[in-house]
């Protein structure tokens, strides 16, 4: 579930010291994929300040498909903006 994943990485981003001290951190260390996603999230730009719901709402307003991961939704919205909007448009 994209919303659960997003909540988990946000929790990590804002509570890193606590997470690193937890007993479950060792379990996470066994998953290179999850560690990679955490690093990508923590080191990326302001798009991560917006949640999946924001991107789904924007896509819905534009009449586009709202299914997919956050990364897919961001790309879909960016593609739409690049081909259909002026610089001053909200969507």
């Amino acid at each position: 579930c994209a919303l659960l994943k997003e909540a988990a990485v946000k929790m990590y981003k804002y509570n890193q010291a606590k997470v690193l001290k937890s007993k479950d951190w060792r379990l996470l260390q066994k998953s290179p994929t999850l560690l990679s996603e955490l690093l990508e999230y923590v080191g990326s730009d302001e798009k991560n300040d917006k949640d999946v719901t924001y991107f789904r709402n924007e896509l819905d307003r534009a009449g586009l498909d709202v299914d997919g991961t956050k990364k897919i939704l961001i790309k879909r919205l960016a593609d739409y903006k690049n081909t259909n909007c002026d610089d001053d448009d909200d969507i």
Side-chain angles (χ1 to χ4, degrees), residues 23-86:
K23 63 180 179 172
D24 293 329
W25 176 247
R26 290 178 192 252
L27 296 173
L28 185 62
Q29 288 176 308
K30 294 178 183 179
S31 175
T33 303
L34 289 175
L35 287 173
S36 175
E37 290 176 6
L38 280 176
L39 289 172
E40 182 179 323
Y41 180 87
V42 172
S44 61
D45 60 21
E46 78 283 346
K47 290 182 197 117
N48 283 314
D49 292 337
K50 296 180 172 95
D51 61 12
V52 171
T53 304
Y54 167 83
F55 292 103
R56 286 188 176 142
N57 288 339
E58 290 295 301
L59 289 165
D60 187 53
R61 283 182 33 198
L64 300 171
D65 184 14
V66 298
D67 290 330
T69 64
K70 185 175 180 180
K71 192 173 191 176
I72 290 170
L73 300 178
I74 290 169
K75 181 174 180 350
R76 189 176 299 140
L77 186 60
D79 290 346
Y80 174 80
K81 285 182 176 184
N82 288 336
T83 58
N84 296 298
C85 295
D86 295 328

